[in-house]
Amino acid sequence: MSERRERGSRAATVRHGRQTPRSGLRTAVKIAVAAVAVVALSVAGVATWAVIDIMGRVDRGGVALPGHSGQPVPDINAIEGGVNLLLVGSDSREGQGDGFGDPKLLTGQLNDVTILVHISEDHSNATAISIPRDTFVQVPECPHPADEDGNVPEGTQPAAGMQKINTTLKHGGLGCTAATVEKLTGLPIHFAGAIKFNGVTAMANAIGGVEVCLAEPIVDPKTNLNLPAGDVTLTGETALQFLRTRYGVGDGSDLGRISNQQVYMSALMRKILSGETLSDPVKLYKLARVAADNMTLSEDLQNINTMVSIALAMKGMSTENIAFVKFPTGSGMVGGQEGEVVNQDAAETLLAAVKADKGLSITGGTGQYGAVPKGGASTEPPTDETEPPSGDGGSTSPPTDGPVELPDSVTGQTAADETCSNGRG
């Protein structure tokens, strides 16, 4: 991991001087250039105002250092080096209004969604690993979560042993979930963010909605979701219902829900990388503002420049090189409890490829209850049926810098795969 460098702002110097008369053509050119300059400065002004505005909104929670207040806003560029970002979806209904169910029915705070995003060192590929909520993991010593006044007690909480990963947020907050994922994967977590129900609806609206494909209607009375088959644009609360539904897709399990989330994330990523978002500073600001208002962020992620820099690391990345996979598990029993047990061999292959910044070749498709291809296209990687070269053409072994073929127990899809969510019919 390369060191991240702070970038100082650059001041533009404007020189004024006496100008000689110009021809009509030169005058027209001058007016055009001036107009372009005004537009450029307007965009820069919006972006700068956006940064300052969000910085005022984020509860940084850090300690101000003498002599380092009021520094110029640094440039925003793609972050240097690789990134491991943990995204957690909380099922807490506290302060979420009446639209997400009775808060008295769920007093805990479980991480319903746990996704580890890895961006390679050279920003050529990215992998999002969804860890099933019922996966049994070793919960290590965890930092204490902040109390109601925002104070964090000193010391750590003792290790909790083998527990389901969705209990870690309640056990020790976002830091505990991050520590557990670090222990499970061997990957350092550089940044982490937790989002509640309101945040999901706000993000969907900020991006202008996400269009997904449904192979069959999805009806789930538990989340009040009723969607027709075909292409549907998800916004607001409907997006949240789609991401939360279990009983309306696949086999009604969390594994079916993960596939549903992959359909959504793939569509979202295609929209973001299409140039509609990453090239639009106003949209980037809008998303960052929503994140600042609706997420609990790790200290280093609370800097708005860091948030935008991570997004810009994916600018120009091919959708074929962005993979969404389910962490390999199988049903099992631990301590008399049913849940998901890690498939160690498959997990080692997946994590070794991710740590080596390799692209991934998904051979297991989207899984038994996963999404189905859109328009008859296959979610399986293409098979090269051509004959190998003969004579002195060299080795026919695959290149060492090519994608790593994952075991078929690792299911998922790339952002380039257009799939349809598979309702229960």
Side-chain angles (χ1 to χ4, degrees):
M1 175 68 58
S2 63
E3 294 293 329
R4 299 178 181 86
R5 296 182 227 156
E6 294 185 356
R7 306 172 178 88
S9 62
R10 301 177 178 85
T13 303
V14 181
R15 293 183 173 87
H16 300 274
R18 186 180 302 274
Q19 298 185 4
T20 58
R22 306 290 186 185
S23 67
L25 176 60
R26 290 186 177 181
T27 300
V29 171
K30 174 180 157 184
I31 293 173
V33 170
V36 171
V38 169
V39 172
L41 288 173
S42 297
V43 172
V46 169
T48 302
W49 171 78
V51 169
I52 295 172
D53 178 67
I54 297 179
M55 289 298 287
R57 287 170 166 269
V58 175
D59 181 12
R60 291 183 288 276
V63 177
L65 299 179
H68 288 273
S69 61
Q71 295 298 304
V73 177
D75 292 339
I76 298 178
N77 296 299
I79 199 166
E80 295 180 359
V83 174
N84 294 323
L85 168 65
L86 182 67
L87 299 175
V88 170
S90 167
D91 68 355
S92 173
R93 291 165 173 78
E94 182 180 359
Q96 299 292 287
D98 299 328
F100 308 110
D102 186 352
K104 296 179 181 178
L105 297 179
L106 189 59
T107 57
Q109 186 179 14
L110 305 178
N111 39 304
D112 249 0
V113 177
T114 304
I115 300 174
L116 173 59
V117 179
H118 172 80
I119 301 175
S120 66
E121 185 88 11
D122 62 359
H123 302 171
S124 65
N125 64 75
T127 303
I129 305 173
S130 296
I131 305 172
R133 56 169 286 166
D134 291 329
T135 303
F136 286 106
V137 294
Q138 287 286 345
V139 179
E141 287 187 351
C142 290
H144 288 285
D147 59 24
E148 294 181 356
D149 297 325
N151 301 314
V152 179
E154 294 183 0
T156 59
Q157 299 189 96
M162 188 68 78
Q163 303 288 338
K164 290 183 178 180
I165 195 168
N166 71 326
T167 64
T168 56
L169 194 63
K170 180 180 180 181
H171 178 64
L174 182 59
C176 190
T177 303
T180 303
V181 173
E182 279 193 350
K183 183 174 181 63
L184 174 67
T185 64
L187 288 162
I189 306 301
H190 306 119
F191 310 102
I195 191 168
K196 294 182 180 180
F197 293 162
N198 279 346
V200 175
T201 62
M203 291 292 282
N205 290 337
I207 200 69
V210 177
E211 183 178 285
V212 298
C213 169
L214 309 184
E216 301 172 3
I218 295 181
V219 180
D220 181 3
K222 291 186 178 293
T223 58
N224 296 320
L225 183 64
N226 190 338
L227 296 174
D231 292 330
V232 178
T233 299
L234 302 176
T235 58
E237 190 172 340
T238 305
L240 172 66
Q241 292 166 331
F242 179 83
L243 291 168
R244 290 190 62 222
T245 183
R246 283 193 295 147
Y247 300 100
V249 294
D251 63 343
S253 71
D254 182 55
L255 303 184
R257 173 164 58 182
I258 284 177
S259 179
N260 217 42
Q261 292 165 352
Q262 290 174 347
V263 170
Y264 181 92
M265 290 188 295
S266 295
L268 174 63
M269 194 56 63
R270 286 193 297 273
K271 182 170 185 177
I272 289 176
L273 294 179
S274 68
E276 297 177 12
T277 301
L278 293 183
S279 298
D280 187 334
V282 176
K283 285 189 178 180
L284 272 178
Y285 154 67
K286 200 172 183 179
L287 285 173
R289 177 173 177 171
V290 170
D293 283 347
N294 293 280
M295 295 185 73
T296 299
L297 303 171
S298 60
E299 288 182 351
D300 289 341
L301 195 58
Q302 288 177 326
N303 185 317
I304 185 61
N305 286 11
T306 302
M307 296 168 64
V308 175
S309 293
I310 292 173
L312 290 177
M314 303 187 74
K315 188 176 182 179
M317 190 180 293
S318 169
T319 54
E320 295 179 351
N321 293 337
I322 303 173
F324 302 95
V325 298
K326 181 187 82 67
F327 193 74
T329 62
S331 58
M333 298 278 293
V334 174
Q337 275 189 303
E338 293 184 359
E340 294 292 314
V341 179
V342 175
N343 181 332
Q344 294 292 347
D345 290 342
E348 287 177 8
T349 301
L350 168 63
L351 294 172
V354 170
K355 292 172 185 176
D357 282 345
K358 298 289 187 180
L360 303 180
S361 174
I362 302 171
T363 65
T366 57
Q368 181 179 0
Y369 300 106
V372 297
K374 183 176 183 178
S378 174
T379 59
E380 304 293 336
T383 301
D384 187 0
E385 297 180 352
T386 59
E387 292 293 326
S390 57
D392 297 327
S395 172
T396 60
S397 301
T400 56
D401 59 350
V404 173
E405 185 174 292
L406 298 176
D408 59 12
S409 56
V410 181
T411 58
Q413 65 178 84
T414 71
D417 295 325
E418 294 193 46
T419 55
C420 300
S421 185
N422 193 9
R424 304 188 72 182

